[in-house]
Amino acid sequence: MSLPRGRTSAPEVSASVEAFLTEPLVATLTTLRPDGSPHVAPVRFTWDAASGLARVMTVVTSRKARNVLANPGGRAVLCQVEGFAWVTLEGTGTVSDDPARVTEGVRRYAKRYWSAPPNPPGRVVLEIAVDRVMNLNT
């Protein structure tokens, strides 16, 4: 998959961060509500180092999807923690119902978590074009 529009390169991460981001762990996703207050939710996600995209499967009616849709170009943040190790992925969030993008999100999710995600009506993929990576002990 190509880089998101307007991006010339994906952020570089170390091999240890890359390995940490392939572990089948849960992360927190932070988006901003229309009133500016943070909404934090536990999610499963995937990381695509080649394109610099983190993906979260959800439904268009979820609070996280509605937050991103209400704030085009707004920020979204994932933070995966295990013990005293963590990685934070931050970037611009978008929501897509494009069948190719949703299919790619499903494929990557199934590979990481060894089973397909739920398939409810209104399924979409929330993509984060990551431009900042922070980590500790990874």
Side-chain angles (χ1 to χ4, degrees), residues 1 55 57 95-106 122-127:
M1 183 161 259
R55 295 177 177 89
M57 302 308 301
V95 173
S96 178
D97 62 0
D98 175 80
R101 296 182 93 82
V102 171
T103 298
E104 182 65 8
V106 168
R123 181 164 70 177
V124 294
V125 62
L126 190 158
E127 296 177 330

Side-chain angles (χ1 to χ4, degrees), residues 47-61:
W47 166 242
D48 178 357
S51 68
L53 284 177
R55 295 177 177 89
V56 175
M57 302 308 301
T58 190
V59 294
V60 72
T61 57

Side-chain angles (χ1 to χ4, degrees), residues 60-109:
V60 72
T61 57
S62 69
R63 169 58 23 204
K64 57 188 156 285
R66 290 182 301 155
N67 288 346
V68 171
L69 289 167
N71 186 19
R75 306 295 282 172
V77 181
L78 282 163
C79 185
Q80 177 176 290
V81 178
E82 184 176 44
F84 293 107
W86 57 265
V87 173
T88 297
L89 304 173
E90 181 180 335
T92 304
T94 59
V95 173
S96 178
D97 62 0
D98 175 80
R101 296 182 93 82
V102 171
T103 298
E104 182 65 8
V106 168
R107 184 188 74 76
R108 289 178 178 277
Y109 179 105

